[in-house]
Amino acid sequence: MKVIKVKNYEELSRTAATIIAGVILSKPDCILGLATGSSPVGTYDQLAAMYEEGILDFSHVKSVNLDEYEGLARDHDQSFGYFMDQLFFSKVNLKEENIFLVDGAADAAKQEKRFNDFLKDNKIDIQILGIGNNGHIGFNEPDSYFTASAHKVELAEETIKANARFFEKESDVPRSAITMGMYGIATAAKVILVATGAAKAPAIKKLLESDHVDPQLPCSILHICEDATVIVDKDLYELTK
Ligand code: F6R
């Protein structure tokens, strides 16, 4: 697992976007694994800018998102599908038929199957990850075991509290989600995790301290990924020492 220390959020976003751009340029029909939340927003801005400048072409790229809240349809303004539409898909030339999103409003068991069928047929070339304060990746919450397949998950109290900032009130945050499991993440050819902010320091500290693969620290699966890179800003890195 490589660690890249950067000055600030802007450099973090540029670094992540550069790595993703390298994959798209060398494989124009690559499969991008995407995340939502605050952490990758700058990365998506950078990728959209590279598209605007004519450096990147997404017309053959496929994408798959890590997760979706149960109960929220793509047109709900707090759904991850909506987030992706607003902040990325509307700014690049990814084709609608090449975008895989879980439909949070549809039957969860059917969506899990659809997600697992997709992952069986489509190996991710590069997966971008944020990290929860508790070390979750996707919505794989700390537990006594890892779940390999895409699955429905009850969100941890800590995650509900952390994500309440996106909703009017905490009680509006959905209690469950469908997430990619560890199979999709661990079999990606490349994984990059972007982390910024003091709240992530305890989880990043544990991740950097040992190579134990511990389901209580879901991000520790990165230790067995073929090509994993963690990008952290200087302030956060200082807090892990
Ligand atoms: C989002 C996701 C989550 C977030 C994590 C960090 O698709 O899968 O794991 O990456 O909760 O969120 P932010 O970046 O908002 O701190």
Side-chain angles (χ1 to χ4, degrees):
M1 191 181 77
K2 290 191 284 287
V3 181
I4 302 180
K5 282 166 257 167
V6 292
K7 272 206 304 279
N8 51 31
Y9 183 67
E10 217 223 297
E11 198 178 307
L12 172 139
S13 303
R14 242 183 309 122
T15 306
T18 305
I19 297 172
I20 296 169
V23 173
I24 298 171
L25 289 169
S26 63
K27 188 175 178 195
D29 61 347
C30 66
I31 303 181
L32 298 184
L34 302 175
T36 53
S38 322
S39 309
V41 171
T43 305
Y44 296 145
D45 286 347
Q46 296 282 337
L47 289 171
M50 288 186 224
Y51 165 69
E52 274 303 315
E53 287 166 39
I55 299 167
L56 291 181
D57 172 20
F58 291 83
S59 60
H60 300 291
V61 170
K62 275 194 197 175
S63 75
V64 51
N65 262 82
L66 277 171
D67 40 22
E68 183 58 276
Y69 288 119
E70 190 180 16
L72 303 193
R74 187 168 171 179
D75 61 358
H76 186 290
D77 62 5
Q78 296 302 340
S79 75
F80 289 157
Y82 187 89
F83 172 104
M84 292 309 303
D85 283 336
Q86 298 299 308
L87 298 178
F88 189 53
F89 296 150
S90 58
K91 299 181 179 175
V92 297
N93 64 334
L94 247 162
K95 291 189 181 134
E96 181 58 31
E97 66 262 31
N98 288 338
I99 293 173
F100 182 94
L101 288 167
V102 168
D103 179 355
D107 176 73
K110 286 195 181 124
Q111 290 299 304
E112 282 173 0
K113 179 172 182 333
R114 197 181 139 245
F115 203 171
N116 283 312
D117 287 348
F118 177 89
L119 292 168
K120 199 154 31 89
D121 297 340
N122 295 279
K123 181 172 147 73
I124 296 170
D125 290 291
I126 183 161
Q127 175 66 54
I128 182 161
L129 297 172
I131 177 171
N133 300 347
N134 61 6
H136 75 210
I137 51 175
F139 274 139
N140 294 278
E141 299 284 22
D143 210 326
S144 51
Y145 51 83
F146 288 119
T147 299
S149 54
H151 58 287
K152 178 175 158 172
V153 61
E154 301 303 320
L155 300 181
E157 232 7 83
E158 202 176 346
T159 301
I160 292 168
K161 284 201 181 346
N163 288 5
R165 71 189 195 279
F166 297 114
F167 292 80
E168 224 167 85
K169 46 187 190 319
E170 195 178 307
S171 56
D172 289 345
V173 184
R175 271 31 197 175
S176 54
I178 292 176
T179 185
M180 187 186 291
M182 291 307 185
Y183 173 80
I185 296 171
T187 58
K190 260 185 203 300
V191 175
I192 46 175
L193 185 150
V194 287
T196 176
K200 310 287 169 74
I204 294 289
K205 183 175 163 60
K206 281 193 225 153
L207 176 65
L208 303 186
E209 251 167 22
S210 90
D211 68 352
H212 294 172
V213 180
D214 177 2
Q216 294 295 349
L217 185 72
C219 60
S220 65
I221 200 80
L222 264 68
H223 291 303
I224 57 160
C225 292
E226 195 181 318
D227 179 355
T229 304
V230 177
I231 311 176
V232 285
D233 68 49
K234 196 166 57 34
D235 292 351
L236 167 53
Y237 187 74
E238 288 305 316
L239 292 171
T240 67
K241 291 202 290 194

